[in-house]
Coordinates of all heavy atoms in Angstrom, one line a residue:
S3 N 181.6 -262.1 -53.8 CA 182.4 -262.7 -52.8 C 181.8 -262.5 -51.4 O 180.9 -261.8 -51.1 CB 183.9 -262.2 -52.9 OG 183.8 -260.9 -52.4
K20 N 191.3 -278.2 -44.5 CA 190.5 -279.3 -45.3 C 189.0 -279.1 -45.1 O 188.4 -279.2 -46.2 CB 191.0 -280.7 -44.6 CG 190.3 -281.8 -45.3 CD 190.6 -283.1 -44.7 CE 190.1 -284.3 -45.4 NZ 189.0 -284.2 -46.3
D24 N 186.9 -278.6 -48.5 CA 185.9 -279.7 -48.8 C 184.6 -279.1 -48.9 O 183.7 -279.5 -49.7 CB 185.9 -280.7 -47.6 CG 187.0 -281.7 -47.7 OD1 187.8 -281.6 -48.7 OD2 187.2 -282.4 -46.8
K28 N 182.2 -279.1 -52.2 CA 180.9 -279.8 -52.1 C 179.9 -278.8 -52.6 O 179.0 -279.2 -53.3 CB 180.6 -280.1 -50.6 CG 179.4 -281.0 -50.5 CD 179.0 -281.2 -49.0 CE 180.2 -282.1 -48.4 NZ 179.9 -282.4 -47.0
M29 N 180.0 -277.5 -52.4 CA 179.1 -276.4 -52.9 C 179.5 -276.1 -54.3 O 178.7 -275.1 -54.9 CB 179.0 -275.3 -51.9 CG 178.8 -275.8 -50.6 SD 177.2 -276.6 -50.4 CE 176.1 -275.3 -50.0
E39 N 189.2 -263.2 -43.5 CA 189.9 -262.1 -42.8 C 190.3 -262.5 -41.4 O 189.7 -263.2 -40.6 CB 188.7 -261.0 -42.6 CG 188.2 -260.4 -44.0 CD 187.2 -259.4 -43.7 OE1 186.7 -259.1 -42.5 OE2 186.8 -258.7 -44.7
D48 N 203.5 -266.2 -32.6 CA 204.6 -266.8 -33.4 C 204.4 -268.2 -33.5 O 205.0 -268.9 -32.9 CB 205.9 -266.3 -32.7 CG 207.1 -266.8 -33.5 OD1 207.0 -266.9 -34.8 OD2 208.2 -266.8 -32.9
T55 N 199.1 -272.2 -42.4 CA 197.8 -272.3 -42.9 C 197.4 -271.2 -43.8 O 196.8 -271.2 -44.8 CB 196.8 -272.3 -41.8 OG1 197.1 -273.6 -40.9 CG2 195.3 -272.5 -42.2
I60 N 196.5 -268.9 -49.2 CA 196.8 -268.1 -50.3 C 197.2 -268.7 -51.7 O 196.8 -268.5 -52.7 CB 197.9 -267.1 -49.9 CG1 197.4 -266.1 -48.8 CG2 198.5 -266.3 -51.1 CD1 198.5 -265.3 -48.1
F61 N 197.9 -269.9 -51.4 CA 198.3 -270.7 -52.4 C 197.2 -271.3 -53.3 O 197.2 -271.3 -54.5 CB 199.2 -271.9 -52.0 CG 199.7 -272.7 -53.1 CD1 200.8 -272.3 -53.9 CD2 199.2 -273.9 -53.3 CE1 201.2 -273.2 -54.8 CE2 199.6 -274.8 -54.2 CZ 200.6 -274.4 -55.2
F65 N 191.7 -264.9 -50.9 CA 192.3 -263.6 -50.5 C 192.3 -263.6 -48.9 O 191.3 -263.9 -48.4 CB 191.5 -262.6 -51.0 CG 191.8 -261.1 -50.5 CD1 192.9 -260.6 -51.0 CD2 191.2 -260.6 -49.6 CE1 193.4 -259.4 -50.6 CE2 191.5 -259.3 -49.1 CZ 192.7 -258.7 -49.6
S70 N 191.3 -256.0 -39.2 CA 191.3 -254.6 -38.4 C 191.7 -253.6 -39.5 O 191.6 -252.4 -39.2 CB 192.5 -254.6 -37.4 OG 193.9 -254.9 -38.0
T73 N 187.9 -250.8 -43.7 CA 187.3 -249.4 -43.5 C 185.9 -249.5 -43.5 O 185.1 -250.3 -44.0 CB 187.8 -248.4 -44.6 OG1 187.4 -249.0 -45.9 CG2 189.4 -248.3 -44.5

Side-chain angles (χ1 to χ4, degrees):
S3 65
K20 181 179 179 354
D24 286 350
K28 191 181 297 185
M29 303 304 266
E39 297 182 352
D48 186 17
T55 302
I60 291 170
F61 180 76
F65 175 76
S70 66
T73 55

